[in-house]
């Protein structure tokens, strides 16, 4: 293969020379120009394999240059160099598909790594190998969603970390899976972890793994999820709920691309792409000191906000019809289509639970309907039934009880005697409560520090 050609753009002539020398020494063909305007001329004459540009430049800046390149030469990856403290600008730039960015001053080795990664990603014939069905499961005709998917498709081919925000049930996980499918990592695992659903110790050992004897109950070596996703993507769901100590550990792992299982002395190199989601406002969490800023910038290289269903009502009919077809077939029910008034009812409903809730309502309607045409009264009942379910006292009690027990177990680190005492129940009563909720005290035990 010919040496890749790099176009370097920087308005600092000294730096430009140093970089050209370094890159030439590494065997790249280098052309350097001192302004974005000149870069566009150079691009028009000969397309490089990669553009490396400064962010802040007099005249046209690095972001504007990137915008021009991605419009005219979408196949050319762009890496943006940023001076210290300007990461947020770079973050904005990467949102639109920049291949990478690197903060100045940087080590030659980091720059090379960034370049190699961008070239590797770009070199893989992803456009042809990606299963065009990557977004098949995302049913939509909303322009806002289409815009998200277009951007997602572009970003998928980079290794950039992605943060997905949106109300509950809007399809955050579905989008994460789609991004993985559209990426060069599609053949490797997609591993999802819910950071809000587990006590801290368990989450730690799940993510990072452990070696035999690292703590009581560690009977054999266990690779963490980060390790088992090697070559693929890790989806960190509810990242806003990740405990502070693990945030530090995760950040280090991402910086060094290595994990050290609990109790291990050696680190293991990993190659994973991080996708995460949250329904929390991370900027607010950060302002209140609950979420680390450095981790936020690592994870939020690109971010997507999935619009709520009420803000894309044009999707309601499409989704409802799709779910109807799927569910009627699955349960062998007669329902085939919605009556016009039934559809109108759904189009005008509030959908606080978004697509998930719509799906549940259609599922009920399919179950309730004895006719091919699902009437508005059936849909009305399905919606009411749903709304009631949300408010059902029994369910609310059950849910509260479970949350209460989890809190107790976390607090006592799985110490039953102590937990039972706090709950003012005897041990056996307490045990049967746990049993009813499928909770295992051992899961809350702390591994020794
Ligand atoms: N655009 C869509 N087309 C088809 N199905 C969808 C779409 N969006 C979401 N769904 C379905 O809605 C349900 C919820 O989606 P998903 O789990 O991805 O949402 P979420 O945003 O991760 O929710 P939560 O915040 O509760 O974790 C799933 O059954 C998913 O298949
Ligand atoms: Mg989810």
């Amino acid at each position: 293969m010919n040496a890749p050609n790099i176009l370097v753009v920087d308005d600092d002539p000294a730096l430009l020379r140093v970089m050209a020398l370094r890159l030439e020494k590494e065997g790249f063909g280098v052309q350097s120009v001192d302004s974005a305007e000149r870069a566009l001329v150079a691009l028009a004459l000969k397309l490089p394999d990669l553009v490396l540009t400064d962010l802040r430049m007099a005249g046209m800046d690095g972001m504007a240059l990137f915008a021009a390149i991605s419009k005219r030469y979408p196949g050319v990856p762009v890496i943006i160099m940023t001076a210290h403290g300007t990461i947020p600008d770079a973050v904005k730039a990467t949102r639109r598909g920049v291949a990478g960015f690197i903060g100045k001053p940087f080590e030659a080795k980091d720059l090379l790594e960034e370049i190699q990664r961008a070239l590797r990603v770009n070199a893989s014939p992803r456009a042809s190998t990606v299963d065009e069905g990557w977004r098949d499961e995302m049913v939509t005709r909303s322009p806002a969603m289409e815009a998200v998917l277009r951007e997602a498709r572009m970003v998928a081919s980079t290794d950039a970390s992605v943060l997905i925000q949106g109300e509950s049930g809007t399809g955050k996980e579905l989008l994460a899976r789609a991004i993985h499918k559209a990426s060069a990592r599609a053949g490797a695992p997609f591993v999802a972890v819910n950071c809000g659903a587990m006590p801290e110790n368990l989450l730690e050992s799940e993510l990072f793994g452990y070696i035999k004897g690292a703590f009581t109950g560690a009977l054999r070596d266990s690779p963490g999820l980060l390790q088992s996703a090697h070559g693929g993507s890790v989806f960190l769901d509810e990242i806003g709920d990740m405990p502070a100590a693990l945030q530090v550990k995760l950040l280090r792992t991402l910086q060094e691309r290595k994990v050290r299982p609990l109790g291990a002395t050696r680190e293991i190199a990993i190659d994973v792409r991080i996708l995460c989601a949250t329904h929390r406002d991370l900027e607010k969490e950060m302002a209140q000191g609950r979420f680390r800023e450095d981790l936020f910038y690592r994870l939020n290289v690109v971010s997507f906000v999935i619009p709520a269903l009420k803000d894309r009502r044009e999707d309601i009919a499409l989704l409802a019809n799709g779910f109807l077809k799927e569910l009627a077939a699955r349960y062998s029910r007669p329902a085939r289509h919605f009556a016009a008034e039934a559809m109108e009812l759904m189009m005008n409903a509030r959908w606080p639970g978004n697509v998930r809730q719509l799906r549940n309502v259609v599922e009920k309607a399919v179950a309730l309907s004895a006719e091919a045409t699902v009437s508005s009264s059936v849909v009305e009942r399905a919606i009411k039934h749903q709304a009631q379910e949300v408010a059902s006292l029994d369910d609310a009690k059950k849910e509260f009880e479970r949350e209460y027990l989890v809190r107790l177990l976390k607090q006592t680190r799985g110490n039953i005697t102590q937990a039972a005492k706090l709950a003012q129940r005897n041990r056996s009563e307490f045990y049967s409560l746990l049993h009813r909720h499928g909770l295992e005290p051992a899961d809350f035990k702390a591994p020794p520090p």
Side-chain angles (χ1 to χ4, degrees), residues 13 29 66 90 99 254 275 278 281 299 337 343 346 348 399 423 443:
F66 166 70
L254 299 183
L275 306 165
T278 177
D281 180 348
L299 298 174
H337 42 80
M343 193 55 94
M346 289 189 289
N348 293 319
E399 206 184 7
D443 289 344

Side-chain angles (χ1 to χ4, degrees), residues 254-275:
L254 299 183
Q255 282 167 340
E256 292 165 11
R257 294 165 202 271
K258 282 182 192 139
V259 279
R260 188 208 298 262
L262 292 169
T265 49
R266 298 228 335 252
E267 299 194 305
I268 299 160
I270 51 162
D271 166 29
V272 293
R273 198 253 184 100
I274 303 288
L275 306 165

Side-chain angles (χ1 to χ4, degrees), residues 10-38:
D10 200 321
D11 58 0
D12 176 349
L15 198 69
L16 202 55
R17 251 193 326 274
V18 173
M19 268 188 308
L21 281 175
R22 269 187 197 160
L23 292 173
E24 271 162 5
K25 218 177 86 197
E26 295 297 328
F28 293 108
V30 180
Q31 183 181 8
S32 28
V33 291
D34 62 2
S35 74
E37 288 84 353
R38 290 217 166 102

Side-chain angles (χ1 to χ4, degrees), residues 33-109:
V33 291
D34 62 2
S35 74
E37 288 84 353
R38 290 217 166 102
L40 286 176
V41 175
L43 280 156
L45 295 176
K46 179 172 180 276
L47 275 191
D49 295 294
L50 181 139
V51 175
L52 177 64
T53 177
D54 195 10
L55 177 61
R56 293 265 154 85
M57 291 183 290
M60 191 179 193
D61 68 6
M63 297 215 308
L65 174 60
F66 166 70
I69 293 176
S70 64
K71 203 158 134 211
R72 278 178 237 174
Y73 318 106
V76 178
V78 178
I79 294 179
I80 294 187
M81 300 177 281
T82 66
H84 245 20
T86 56
I87 297 291
D89 281 342
V91 167
K92 278 186 222 135
T94 29
R95 275 182 63 100
R96 287 178 279 134
V98 168
F101 63 89
I102 183 153
K104 283 178 176 179
F106 46 74
E107 303 270 311
K109 140 177 153 305

Side-chain angles (χ1 to χ4, degrees), residues 400-413 439 444:
F400 170 82
E401 199 170 78
R402 189 186 154 89
E403 276 171 21
Y404 172 79
L405 292 171
V406 167
R407 213 167 60 223
L408 265 185
L409 288 171
K410 270 193 191 177
Q411 204 174 316
T412 59
R413 301 193 159 208
L439 294 168
F444 296 79

Side-chain angles (χ1 to χ4, degrees), residues 19 102 104 121 127 148 157 163 167 175 205 210 217 241 292 345 368 390 395 435 448:
M19 268 188 308
I102 183 153
K104 283 178 176 179
V121 167
V148 166
S157 57
L163 173 67
E167 288 180 10
L175 179 64
S205 57
Y210 51 85
D241 294 342
R292 293 183 66 97
L345 208 63
L368 290 171
V390 173
D395 281 354
H435 186 71

Side-chain angles (χ1 to χ4, degrees), residues 169 171-174 194 235 237-238 277 356:
K172 296 186 291 295
E173 178 157 356
L174 207 58
N194 188 326
F235 176 55
D237 204 359
E238 297 310 345
R356 176 179 295 116

